[in-house]
Amino acid sequence: DVAFAGEFIAKTDVTYKVQWLTKDADGNDKTLKDEETRADGTTGQSASATAEDKVFPGNTYDAASSTDSVIVKGDGSSVIKLYFTVNRHNVTYEITGDVIPEGVTAPTGETNVAYGTEVTVKEDLSAAGYTFTGWTTNDATVVDGKFEMPNGDVAFAGEFIAKTDEIGRAHV
């Protein structure tokens, strides 16, 4: 009789994929932002990736939705998926200055605006006997009354100035 003995040795150069995906503003649709094939997996062993490998402005790593490690399959079909959720911020409006005409209030802002969303600035206010200076902000670049939501809150301020006649008397 002849007996043969052998053993299996796990491959150490198995490929697996790492995918970085972003979720839409509602957290539903996923968009593949980047993909990388790595060839350093060992069959039957764990492989991992970290969120810090890639940066997506205006998005935050979503650990709860992500699979940051897998057991490597010898056929190269293993996939690590790292999800990022778009950040949301607020837009506010405030009347500043020493004069606020009676009955005039700042418009209601917007809450939970997704990064990258186009936002239209609220209409200027008006009051008899006053000039409104318009809505201004240092938090975003406004072009033609619109701006793209940055990765942070946007605060607008505007003020009223009493109209005066030629000799400086207020008309209110």
Side-chain angles (χ1 to χ4, degrees), residues 18-53:
V18 179
Q19 295 179 339
W20 291 269
L21 303 101
T22 57
K23 296 179 181 181
D24 69 6
D26 298 320
N28 298 319
D29 294 332
K30 285 105 178 143
T31 302
L32 181 64
K33 296 299 264 185
D34 201 357
E35 183 176 69
E36 184 177 287
T37 299
R38 297 183 178 175
D40 60 355
T42 299
T43 302
Q45 298 297 312
S46 180
S48 62
T50 64
E52 291 78 25
D53 290 344

Side-chain angles (χ1 to χ4, degrees), residues 118-135:
E118 182 178 84
V119 179
T120 300
V121 178
K122 302 284 185 179
E123 293 290 323
D124 282 351
L125 301 177
S126 64
Y130 296 89
T131 299
F132 185 68
T133 60
W135 297 116

Side-chain angles (χ1 to χ4, degrees), residues 21-95:
L21 303 101
T22 57
K23 296 179 181 181
D24 69 6
D26 298 320
N28 298 319
D29 294 332
K30 285 105 178 143
T31 302
L32 181 64
K33 296 299 264 185
D34 201 357
E35 183 176 69
E36 184 177 287
T37 299
R38 297 183 178 175
D40 60 355
T42 299
T43 302
Q45 298 297 312
S46 180
S48 62
T50 64
E52 291 78 25
D53 290 344
K54 302 285 179 183
V55 175
F56 302 105
N59 289 264
T60 300
Y61 177 60
D62 182 356
S65 299
S66 298
T67 306
D68 61 359
S69 67
V70 295
I71 299 299
V72 177
K73 297 177 186 174
D75 65 359
S77 64
S78 302
V79 179
I80 295 172
K81 293 186 177 187
L82 303 172
Y83 290 100
F84 293 78
T85 302
V86 68
N87 296 336
R88 296 175 168 277
H89 301 283
N90 301 318
V91 179
T92 58
Y93 295 85
E94 178 184 12
I95 300 171

Side-chain angles (χ1 to χ4, degrees), residues 135-154:
W135 297 116
T136 60
T137 185
N138 293 323
D139 302 324
T141 301
V142 178
V143 177
D144 296 327
K146 297 179 182 188
F147 66 95
E148 184 177 294
M149 191 67 188
N151 193 25
D153 290 342
V154 176

